Amino acid sequence: TDIDDLKRAEQALRESESRFRTVFNQQFQFLAILSPDGVVRDCNDTFFAATGVRREAVLGHCFWDTPWWSGLPEEQAWWRAAIDGAVHSGQTITGEIALAHADGSRCQTEFAVTGGRDEAGRVIDVIAEGRDITHRKRWEEQQNLLTKELAHRIKNSMAVIQSIARQTLRGAPKPFAEAF
């Protein structure tokens, strides 16, 4: 029996899987592949390296029950709804949620959850991709604080200017004072 074609197909499949693993694990973002009911099939190395969570604590568990969201009931509810929404609506569900690290610290993340469909249109995988946005959120908070401080200082300066103008115009003719 000639099995050369079978051997070539097996080799091509191994090479394709190797390329996929390389790309999957070298992504900058967190990537997870889930079943349609939310069970973790795989996560990329970036996810584990950034959070310190062990692979064994995640694979085969419901995504919302992994250490990343234990003790975070709002995030767990968000994941249940996002996965369900991605499976049933066909839409990409996005949101900003907290993520726990193995050491107990937390970061702010942004995730997109999408249903991966087969040729027949059935959802066969759910893809969750996210990134750490903690630094961006801190910067936004700092910018907001600076904007509020600037507005406060401008109001104070305007109050002083108005007071000086009123004092200066106290003896001025009425049409001039109103125009000023």
Side-chain angles (χ1 to χ4, degrees):
T1 303
D2 185 2
I3 59 168
D4 287 343
D5 289 341
L6 178 62
K7 293 293 184 186
R8 279 191 289 276
E10 288 173 351
Q11 180 62 28
L13 182 60
R14 279 193 297 276
E15 290 171 3
S16 177
E17 175 66 19
S18 177
R19 276 191 307 277
F20 167 77
R21 281 273 149 227
T22 299
V23 170
F24 183 70
N25 285 317
Q26 292 182 357
Q27 289 296 304
F28 170 74
Q29 299 191 128
F30 306 135
L31 288 173
I33 301 172
L34 317 172
S35 68
D37 58 350
V39 174
V40 180
R41 291 181 172 157
D42 203 358
C43 293
N44 67 348
D45 292 345
T46 303
F47 223 144
F48 296 111
T51 61
V53 171
R54 291 183 354 268
R55 190 175 292 276
E56 304 82 49
V58 173
L59 299 182
H61 298 275
C62 288
F63 203 46
W64 53 84
D65 286 335
T66 62
W68 292 315
W69 293 283
S70 62
L72 299 170
E74 289 179 24
E75 281 74 4
Q76 290 174 324
W78 185 87
W79 276 111
R80 284 185 183 98
I83 292 167
D84 185 62
V87 169
H88 293 103
S89 75
Q91 302 291 322
T92 297
I93 310 299
T94 60
E96 293 181 2
I97 59 173
L99 172 89
H101 293 234
D103 64 5
S105 65
R106 294 184 181 161
C107 66
Q108 194 64 27
T109 58
E110 177 178 63
F111 271 89
V113 185
T114 308
R117 299 183 181 280
D118 64 10
E119 296 82 21
R122 293 182 308 257
V123 174
I124 56 171
D125 290 311
V126 174
I127 310 302
E129 57 182 308
R131 60 186 167 162
D132 185 340
I133 59 169
T134 305
H135 295 297
R136 185 187 87 198
K137 295 303 268 184
R138 285 184 187 143
W139 180 83
E140 287 172 356
E141 287 172 13
Q142 187 177 21
Q143 288 297 107
N144 190 28
L145 181 66
L146 289 172
T147 301
K148 287 179 181 178
E149 179 64 24
L150 182 60
H152 175 72
R153 288 176 185 247
I154 289 172
K155 275 186 193 176
N156 286 345
S157 296
M158 289 304 293
V160 169
I161 292 168
Q162 286 174 334
S163 178
I164 292 170
R166 278 191 214 105
Q167 291 295 327
T168 303
L169 297 174
R170 194 172 343 161
K174 189 170 181 140
F176 174 75
E178 286 174 0
F180 181 75

